[in-house]
């Protein structure tokens, strides 16, 4: 076959392969096979020296025509493939703006904080102020100034986390540190009596800590709300009226309260307050263990010793104090059977409130 025929056949084959290439990579393979270093057309160009002189002009012209045709076809196909590949990529990345969005999950205010705020609001409405005290406390504020000296048995009612005393003075409390995580918010009473002008009408919400293992009715860390009133002529009647009002605000106007004599070192007399059971309304059921009553807080008239230790004259002033567990109130209000459910972070549970 004459060289020009071979070249015509090569041209036809190459143009066909170019049209058949359906990706840029396949097209590049065709280009390398024809025009690359050892490509077929490159081979013809290299061997021009061996072509007889009289044919060289014709063959040379043909080779150049083939190359021009191949290059033109390559660049046309390349542009077509690039456009197709771009539009395929755009299609693949397309966003369907008509799909419904995925809503962000909104959190809710935690029940513990809600109850603490609710109780705070009730007392703000009565003209009380809200104060805070330290969670890392000294033995003096948590126990001693509350009428529980070093060997007083009431200390064993609350198992305490002691904090390493950096002063190195470990001698004072049974060889243990003087610094502790407060077991009750009652120490804020002492801070207030020392720091605030009289009269005092305050509540103090906050975290407390006890060396307890978590179970349905105990948590090693929980919240309390302390209350303290010091004024002239304060009586147990004021205490009863105030706490009865609190219970009706929190649990509903139909609920009754009762005061049961109890012991706390810093109040005398002391009482525990029960609210009538919201499930059986006093008949007795599983919630109230058959008694018809639910215990909700401790309270009493501030012991004259406590007033004196903080520099207040018990002949002139009297007062009452109370303390409640926030988690307990939350569980009683919503019939939650286990305090730990408040802390498990299960949104199905928490979102209900
Ligand atoms: N601090 C007591 C406790 O944690 C609760 C309490 C009882 C507080 C009587 C008071 C009170 O202010 O008067 O068990």
């Amino acid at each position: 076959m004459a060289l020009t025929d071979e070249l015509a056949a090569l041209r036809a084959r190459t143009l066909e392969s170019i049209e058949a290439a359906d990706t840029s990579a396949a097209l590049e393979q065709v280009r390398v096979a024809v025009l690359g270093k050892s490509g077929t057309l490159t081979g013809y160009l290299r061997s021009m020296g061996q072509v007889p002189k009289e044919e060289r002009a014709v063959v040379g012209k043909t080779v150049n025509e083939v190359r021009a045709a191949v290059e033109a076809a390559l660049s046309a196909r390349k542009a077509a493939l690039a456009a197709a590949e771009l539009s395929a990529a755009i299609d693949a990345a397309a966003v369907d703006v008509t799909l419904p969005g995925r809503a962000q999950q909104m959190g809710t205010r935690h029940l513990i904080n809600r109850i603490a705020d609710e109780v705070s609001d009730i007392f703000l409405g009565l003209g009380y102020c809200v104060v805070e005290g330290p969670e890392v406390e000294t033995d003096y504020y948590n126990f001693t100034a509350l009428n529980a000296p070093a060997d007083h048995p009431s200390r064993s009612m609350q198992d305490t986390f002691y904090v390493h005393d950096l002063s190195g003075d470990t001698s004072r409390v049974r060889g243990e540190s003087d610094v502790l995580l407060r077991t009750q918010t009652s120490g804020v009473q002492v801070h207030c009596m020392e720091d605030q002008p009289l009269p005092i009408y305050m509540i103090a919400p906050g975290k407390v800590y006890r060396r307890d293992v978590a179970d349905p009715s105990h948590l090693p860390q929980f919240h309390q709300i302390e209350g303290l009133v010091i004024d002239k002529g304060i009586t147990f009647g004021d205490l009863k009226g105030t706490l009865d009002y609190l219970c009706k605000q929190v649990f509903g106007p139909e609920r009754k309260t009762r005061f049961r004599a109890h012991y706390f070192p810093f109040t005398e007399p002391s009482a525990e307050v029960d609210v009538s059971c919201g499930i059986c309304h006093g008949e007795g059921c599983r919630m109230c263990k058959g008694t018809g009553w639910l215990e909700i807080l401790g309270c009493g008239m501030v012991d004259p010793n406590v007033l004196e230790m903080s520099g207040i004259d018990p002949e002139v002033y009297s007062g009452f104090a109370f303390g409640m567990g926030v988690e307990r109130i939350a569980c009683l209000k919503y019939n939650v059977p286990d305090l730990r459910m408040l802390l498990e972070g299960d949104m199905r549970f928490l979102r209900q409130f």
Side-chain angles (χ1 to χ4, degrees):
M1 192 165 41
L3 268 176
T4 48
D5 293 339
E6 283 180 29
L7 284 165
L10 174 63
R11 172 191 172 131
R13 263 201 332 269
T14 305
L15 293 184
E16 223 168 80
S17 321
I18 289 171
E19 270 322 297
D22 53 4
T23 64
S24 297
L27 187 65
E28 177 63 7
Q29 275 180 11
V30 176
R31 188 192 69 77
V32 170
V34 180
L35 296 176
K37 251 197 223 152
S38 39
T40 41
L41 196 59
T42 312
Y44 284 105
L45 280 165
R46 286 230 177 97
S47 57
M48 284 301 285
Q50 285 132 45
V51 176
K53 255 203 186 115
E54 55 280 10
E55 288 177 36
R56 209 173 280 167
V58 178
V59 173
K61 190 167 167 255
T62 310
V63 169
N64 281 333
E65 279 168 8
V66 173
R67 183 163 71 177
V70 166
E71 279 174 349
L74 278 172
S75 75
R77 185 71 187 141
K78 187 174 175 179
L81 284 174
E85 280 164 11
L86 179 63
S87 89
I90 289 172
D91 285 350
V95 172
D96 182 351
V97 293
T98 67
L99 280 175
R102 276 181 213 127
Q104 280 284 344
Q105 281 212 358
M106 285 284 280
T108 61
R109 191 150 180 67
H110 196 281
L111 182 57
I112 295 173
N113 294 326
R114 251 204 39 213
I115 295 286
D117 286 354
E118 218 174 289
V119 172
S120 299
D121 281 347
I122 292 166
F123 282 101
L124 283 171
L126 293 175
Y128 287 52
C129 59
V130 178
V131 303
E132 272 183 19
E135 288 174 30
V136 179
E137 190 53 286
T138 59
D139 181 88
Y140 178 78
Y141 285 98
N142 196 73
F143 291 121
T144 309
L146 290 165
N147 216 21
D151 54 357
H152 196 279
S154 74
R155 286 175 180 239
S156 58
M157 287 159 67
Q158 296 172 4
D159 257 327
T160 309
F161 284 117
Y162 286 92
V163 175
H164 182 62
D165 184 353
L166 293 176
S167 76
D169 177 10
T170 54
S171 58
R172 282 181 53 191
V173 187
R174 283 180 266 122
E176 288 178 281
S177 166
D178 266 357
V179 185
L180 46 80
L181 296 181
R182 66 180 179 189
T183 58
Q184 51 187 355
T185 45
S186 301
V188 187
Q189 291 185 32
V190 181
H191 287 290
C192 266
M193 289 189 282
E194 287 181 354
D195 301 343
Q196 311 252 332
L198 296 169
I200 293 169
Y201 288 82
M202 75 80 171
I203 57 159
K207 284 195 194 75
V208 300
Y209 303 85
R210 290 189 196 175
R211 275 182 46 184
D212 276 327
V213 175
D215 69 21
S217 54
H218 294 85
L219 295 172
Q221 179 202 297
F222 59 102
H223 296 76
Q224 284 188 334
I225 300 178
E226 192 75 17
L228 176 70
V229 168
I230 308 279
D231 205 343
K232 288 176 179 159
I234 296 293
T235 68
F236 202 90
D238 297 314
L239 171 61
K240 281 185 86 171
T242 304
L243 295 182
D244 186 65
Y245 174 76
L246 168 72
C247 291
K248 288 183 161 59
Q249 289 291 308
V250 172
F251 294 103
E254 74 289 355
R255 305 291 279 271
K256 296 188 183 69
T257 52
R258 77 172 180 189
F259 288 66
R260 252 185 310 106
H262 196 73
Y263 169 77
F264 295 104
F266 37 89
T267 43
E268 181 59 37
S270 303
E272 275 187 336
V273 178
D274 299 336
V275 64
S276 57
C277 180
I279 302 230
C280 64
H281 304 288
E283 297 283 298
C285 68
R286 221 170 54 179
M287 180 75 180
C288 58
K289 299 198 180 85
T291 64
W293 296 95
L294 303 163
E295 178 212 319
I296 58 157
L297 54 78
C299 66
M301 301 306 290
V302 180
D303 191 299
N305 277 343
V306 172
L307 292 173
E308 242 162 30
M309 272 188 277
S310 294
I312 295 172
D313 184 350
E315 297 299 328
V316 181
Y317 284 96
S318 58
F320 63 75
F322 55 88
M324 68 196 93
V326 179
E327 284 80 354
R328 189 171 160 75
I329 303 254
C331 289
L332 290 177
K333 179 160 177 171
Y334 293 104
N335 303 322
V336 177
D338 189 326
L339 293 180
R340 295 171 297 186
M341 291 171 79
L342 297 174
L343 304 181
E344 279 166 355
D346 185 337
M347 288 304 287
R348 293 167 305 178
F349 170 75
L350 293 173
R351 240 190 255 115
Q352 302 176 88
F353 306 108

